[in-house]
Amino acid sequence: QVQLVESGGGSVQPGGSLRLSCVVSARGFSINTMGWYRQVPEKERELVASISRDGSTDYGESVKGRFTVSRNAARNTVYLQMNNLKPEDTAVYYCNAKLWRGRTADYWGQGTQVTVSS
């Protein structure tokens, strides 16, 4: 009933760019928020960027000014444009959707690796 399918991860040199996409299939649900989190070993999963139903956005402090989250609401698709990538951005990036069907719950993609190195 719920699937989050990610694409766009890979390896890039410092200063480079990547664009992640996630298609959210959630028949019977209302989508409250879509966005991206990332996780590295020995650290908790952290917010990268999110966008809500009214179009408002939220960004993690370390990516402000470099990353941009956007959406195609009609297609239930969320994007993450990552510019000026740094080695510290290396992580597994997870698509996230906060869905409502009587209650709000988090759903996650499988994760896609982003590696920034020279």
Side-chain angles (χ1 to χ4, degrees), residues 38-110:
R38 67 187 183 188
Q39 188 169 24
V40 299
E42 302 180 353
K43 293 187 65 177
E44 295 184 358
R45 192 171 298 184
E46 66 175 358
L47 172 71
V48 178
S50 66
I51 184 165
S52 63
R53 291 180 62 86
D54 66 359
S56 61
T57 57
D58 192 20
Y59 291 93
E61 190 68 29
S62 65
V63 308
K64 289 180 179 178
R66 299 187 297 120
F67 292 8
T68 302
V69 64
S70 61
R71 67 176 180 177
N72 184 328
R75 296 183 180 273
N76 291 153
T77 302
V78 61
Y79 307 94
L80 184 68
Q81 180 66 46
M82 303 184 292
N83 296 327
N84 191 24
L85 282 160
K86 303 176 180 180
E88 298 79 50
D89 297 316
T90 296
V92 177
Y93 284 69
Y94 295 91
C95 182
N96 168 262
K98 300 183 186 298
L99 307 180
W100 186 89
R101 191 178 68 179
R103 66 179 183 91
T104 301
D106 278 303
Y107 292 84
W108 299 92
Q110 77 284 356

Side-chain angles (χ1 to χ4, degrees), residues 4-7 20-24 36 76-79 95-96:
L4 285 69
V5 181
E6 303 165 333
S7 62
L20 306 182
S21 300
C22 176
V23 179
V24 179
W36 299 90
N76 291 153
T77 302
V78 61
Y79 307 94
C95 182
N96 168 262

